[in-house]
Amino acid sequence: MRTRTLPRRTSVTAATLLLAALPLTGCSGDGAGSYCAAVTSAQAQWNHAGATLADPAAAARLVAAVRTVEANAPSEVRGDWTSLRSLFEKFTVPRTDLAALTRQMRSYETSAKRVETHARETCGVDLGR
């Protein structure tokens, strides 16, 4: 049986491609890294959301932070982040109808609890403080 050897250039190229692919495959299984980084980055704004939502400009910054988390969120909580972002967007305009929003808040509580639990369990970040 004859074995065929690859020319040196081909084997070096193959080894280079294999080594280059290793970090990529290692990251693909850990989607939590970018999600957790986004959650950590948004933590301060999330913890002060009550005060933030009183100021349309600050609310817009919170929306931007939540949008980043939402984009990186795993599928099991992405819809909850989307729901909360849509709520926070309502505070980015002056003279928000707070009475109407207060009535709607209950429907967002479940989403808030889910993202807080998920962030704590997945990333070790406590958004509930």
Side-chain angles (χ1 to χ4, degrees):
M1 177 177 186
R2 265 183 91 183
T3 58
R4 187 173 161 206
T5 58
L6 295 173
R8 177 152 172 72
R9 176 180 283 156
T10 304
S11 62
V12 170
T13 302
T16 302
L17 290 173
L18 178 63
L19 290 173
L22 286 176
L24 296 175
T25 57
C27 293
S28 66
D30 182 24
S34 58
Y35 169 68
C36 290
V39 167
T40 300
S41 178
Q43 181 180 17
Q45 289 184 30
W46 178 270
N47 289 340
H48 301 291
T52 298
L53 295 177
D55 172 20
R61 289 189 296 275
L62 175 61
V63 167
V66 170
R67 185 173 280 126
T68 300
V69 175
E70 175 189 5
N72 290 285
S75 59
E76 64 262 21
V77 290
R78 186 172 296 130
D80 294 310
W81 283 106
T82 300
S83 175
L84 293 171
R85 179 188 41 81
S86 70
L87 168 67
F88 298 151
E89 285 174 338
K90 295 175 183 183
F91 288 90
T92 62
V93 296
R95 289 179 240 127
T96 301
D97 182 358
L98 296 179
L101 283 177
T102 300
R103 289 188 297 273
Q104 295 175 9
M105 294 296 276
R106 292 208 189 275
S107 65
Y108 294 99
E109 285 179 26
T110 302
S111 289
K113 287 177 183 175
R114 272 197 296 258
V115 299
E116 287 176 351
T117 299
H118 190 268
R120 184 175 47 259
E121 292 174 356
T122 304
C123 306
V125 176
D126 187 2
L127 296 175
R129 291 194 280 169

